[in-house]
Amino acid sequence: MKLYVINTGLFKLDGGAMFGVVPKSLWSRTNPADENNMCTWALRCLLIEDGDRLILIDNGIGNKQSEKFFSHYYLHGDYSLKKSLNDAGFAESDVTDMFLTHLHFDHCGGGVIRNGDSFEITFKNAKYWSHSEHWEWATQPNAREKASFLKENILPMKESGHLNFVDKTQNAFDQFDVETFNGHTDKQMIPKIKYKDKTIVFMADLLPSVGHIPLPYVMGYDTRPLLTLDEKARFLNEAADNNYILFLEHDSMNECCTVKHTEKGVRLDQTFKLSEVL
């Protein structure tokens, strides 16, 4: 098995929204904001090469949205999904499996491209993997999340005939175990990758950055913040006990980290690039 970091760009989100009830005087220590209170976030994905399977976990925002849409999120940086795949030695056509932790636009937008007035899937030889209950949640969205579930990102997966559900497919992946979490959105899937003697966890929005490690640091975007508190507490204790490597999708400064037990609870231990532990 080989792992490749796939950077798809940077974007900005409001710092207050990203840290909920935590005051700016605290969260800005780890995630400084610009003059508009916006913080920079990564769109970092992970590619797993294992035998004849090439599995991509999440795919960023993509580039098909309107100028007005991108004016809200300030997509920037030197990376793109296509460029990063090419730099790793692959093309979109090589991807066999497109695994989506959840269907918010910053996690699945790159999986669909615009072709004139229509949309088509980016990875034409790949199975697209979601969770059946999350799919229902996303295609019949609540008012709070509706702006994050964009039909042009989601419906082409089914219309193409490439949509599959992890929970409906026995032994869908040998490369990792999947655990679901419901605080951020219903049935967010978190992969725990078995790599040699290590466990590498793709954190998605369960832990967006090292700045979110303290338990009260919960995003305003989470649909059930008290449940996130419980899920985070349980997971971080497990991660500290087992020395998990946490792969951070949204931290613009840190690719990976480990956590440790302290008198104040679970806290940051070390930060590093994934290549340093492979």
Side-chain angles (χ1 to χ4, degrees), residues 11 13 43 59-62 64-65 69-70 73 102-110 145-150 153-154:
F11 74 134
L13 292 171
L43 294 159
N59 54 50
I61 287 180
K64 65 182 176 297
Q65 303 301 331
F69 176 90
F70 285 119
Y73 300 106
H102 60 299
L103 298 174
H104 287 167
F105 66 80
D106 54 320
H107 295 259
C108 73
E145 283 184 281
K146 189 174 183 180
S148 292
F149 292 129
L150 306 181
N153 284 340
I154 298 172

Side-chain angles (χ1 to χ4, degrees), residues 13-51:
L13 292 171
D14 182 84
M18 285 298 288
F19 288 98
V21 300
V22 178
K24 183 178 181 180
S25 58
L26 295 180
W27 59 253
S28 61
R29 296 174 185 175
T30 56
N31 297 82
D34 65 16
E35 65 277 6
N36 295 315
N37 209 51
M38 306 289 278
C39 299
T40 296
W41 304 95
L43 294 159
R44 185 180 295 114
C45 308
L46 188 64
L47 188 67
I48 302 173
E49 182 185 17
D50 188 32

Side-chain angles (χ1 to χ4, degrees), residues 86-104:
N86 292 166
D87 288 347
F90 303 103
E92 290 97 328
S93 58
D94 296 324
V95 176
T96 62
D97 299 89
M98 181 64 256
F99 180 94
L100 298 161
T101 60
H102 60 299
L103 298 174
H104 287 167

